[in-house]
Amino acid sequence: MLILRGRGRRLFTRETMEKQQTWFYVVALFVGAAIGLGTPEWGSALHYTVSPVLAILLYSMFAQIPFLLLKESLSNLRFIGALLVANFIVVPVVVWLLTLAFPQPPAVLIGVYLVLLTPCIDYVIVFTQLGRGNEKLMLAATPILFVIQMVLLPVYLWLFIGKEAAQVMQVGPFVEAFLFLIVIPLLLAILTQVVTKGKAGGERVINATAWLPVPMMALALIVVVASQVGKVYNDFAVIVDVLPIYIIFLVAMPFISRIVVALFRLNTGEGRAVIFSAGTRNSLVVLPLALALPQEWATIAAAVIVTQTIVELAGELIYIRIVPAVILRDR
């Protein structure tokens, strides 16, 4: 454990930082909003930092995971089954019902469907860890979630909107985001573990990376909100109409996925991982997909996706407290 000292006393430990992380994130949300709304040119410039910041965040989290245990995690068929049912059967039904209750024009709908029908494959791992779920299982499941959502997303769009929506999708930006945000940080984390294993100072290197997730998550919140809040502000009239969909989804999914957890008889860590996965969407990764749409769809769809990002990030700060304390307690 790394400790910052002053005059012989412990001033700040990693455990202290992690216990107070919620407040760091709340401040980060306000700082990001202030930058994005107060100095829009700064917000626009920060757009280019989102992916690198996320990549560093995920590298620091991956570096803490013992990868030799991942084979065992992948063999957990009940967990994988619950994860797939929650994300690819339950979530689409809930999203479809919500869009029936709150009808939207096609350009808005494609943004809503893009973001809500794709389970998160990046920072959900961090939030699962913060919410005392089994982040190793979430990491092991990301390739499965990625492949299935790529295959099913055009099918869902065709079912819910029509053939035109399915045909405008481009897979390239999605694959690029997956490689940059998941594959490269993952390989670097494995390389770090291999290079430092059994060497003097190796443990210090791993411990040093363990300090990164909280500040990097705070930085990620700042750059995401700062770079995107202007779009939400400019399309506020459209955004107001989709807010009920996002808020109800965020509130309902932990309780609905809790039923899936019970049906599959998962343990506490596994169950929390499923709950976080079902409630956390692929907003940052599908944004390039929205921007690759035809111009008449791209602007509105991107604003709709960014709105979900902001709502979700605020919701995740509640999730990491409520899920272990209320939704699925330690047994």
Side-chain angles (χ1 to χ4, degrees):
M1 176 182 67
L2 292 177
I3 300 170
L4 301 182
R5 295 181 180 273
R7 294 184 181 179
R9 294 180 302 171
R10 295 181 178 182
L11 292 178
F12 195 64
T13 67
R14 198 176 79 231
E15 286 76 8
T16 301
M17 179 178 65
E18 290 172 349
K19 286 179 182 178
Q20 301 300 323
Q21 62 193 302
T22 301
W23 297 110
F24 291 134
Y25 301 154
V26 170
V27 171
L29 286 173
F30 282 106
V31 170
I35 293 172
L37 295 175
T39 53
E41 62 278 6
W42 279 41
S44 298
L46 286 174
H47 170 75
Y48 299 100
T49 69
V50 172
S51 291
V53 168
L54 277 178
I56 296 171
L57 166 66
L58 289 163
Y59 161 76
S60 66
M61 209 286 300
F62 292 159
Q64 312 310 310
I65 295 174
F67 289 99
L68 295 177
L69 300 179
L70 291 186
K71 184 177 179 181
E72 178 183 342
S73 300
L74 278 173
S75 66
N76 190 332
L77 297 182
R78 279 197 301 180
F79 170 77
I80 297 297
L83 196 68
L84 297 183
V85 168
N87 278 298
F88 299 113
I89 296 177
V90 175
V91 166
V93 171
V94 171
V95 172
W96 178 66
L97 291 174
L98 286 173
T99 54
L100 284 181
F102 301 95
Q104 306 293 329
V108 174
L109 269 182
I110 195 169
V112 171
Y113 286 140
L114 271 176
V115 71
L116 292 187
L117 293 174
T118 50
C120 185
I121 54 172
D122 41 67
Y123 64 56
V124 67
I125 302 164
V126 179
F127 282 120
T128 299
Q129 181 187 48
L130 299 178
R132 291 155 52 193
N134 193 324
E135 76 280 0
K136 291 187 290 295
L137 287 174
M138 274 310 312
L139 172 60
T142 54
I144 299 172
L145 292 177
F146 168 67
V147 171
I148 294 179
Q149 66 185 268
M150 266 214 322
V151 171
L152 290 183
L153 183 59
V155 176
Y156 289 140
L157 293 176
W158 179 77
L159 286 174
F160 294 161
I161 301 181
K163 193 179 299 183
E164 179 186 0
Q167 289 174 343
V168 298
M169 295 305 305
Q170 298 183 30
V171 175
F174 199 66
V175 175
E176 180 182 343
F178 178 75
L179 289 174
F180 186 78
L181 294 177
I182 297 294
V183 176
I184 293 176
L186 180 58
L187 292 177
L188 288 175
I190 294 172
L191 182 63
T192 301
Q193 292 187 8
V194 170
V195 170
T196 58
K197 184 178 180 181
K199 293 186 177 180
E203 185 178 350
R204 286 199 298 272
V205 173
I206 298 299
N207 286 338
T209 64
W211 277 84
L212 291 175
V214 173
M216 291 307 301
M217 176 62 78
L219 183 58
L221 293 175
I222 290 173
V223 298
V224 168
V225 174
S227 63
Q228 306 298 334
V229 71
K231 295 178 183 178
V232 176
Y233 180 78
N234 292 334
D235 292 292
F236 191 73
V238 174
I239 298 313
V240 168
D241 290 337
V242 299
L243 283 177
I245 296 176
Y246 293 153
I247 293 171
I248 294 172
F249 179 87
L250 200 64
V251 171
M253 282 316 302
F255 296 96
I256 297 173
S257 52
R258 177 67 178 83
I259 298 171
V260 176
V261 169
L263 289 174
F264 280 82
R265 303 193 305 277
L266 302 183
N267 66 35
T268 304
E270 296 166 349
R272 288 173 183 162
V274 170
I275 290 169
F276 272 95
S277 181
T280 310
R281 303 290 89 194
N282 217 355
S283 49
L284 299 179
V285 177
V286 298
L287 187 58
L289 277 180
L291 296 174
L293 292 169
Q295 187 59 43
E296 64 271 18
W297 292 36
T299 302
I300 295 298
V304 168
I305 289 171
V306 168
T307 301
Q308 193 276 338
T309 304
I310 295 172
V311 172
E312 178 175 274
L313 290 174
E316 292 288 348
L317 302 182
I318 300 172
Y319 270 19
I320 61 177
R321 294 294 183 92
I322 295 296
V323 170
V326 178
I327 306 294
L328 190 54
R329 297 181 177 183
D330 292 317
R331 298 170 186 172

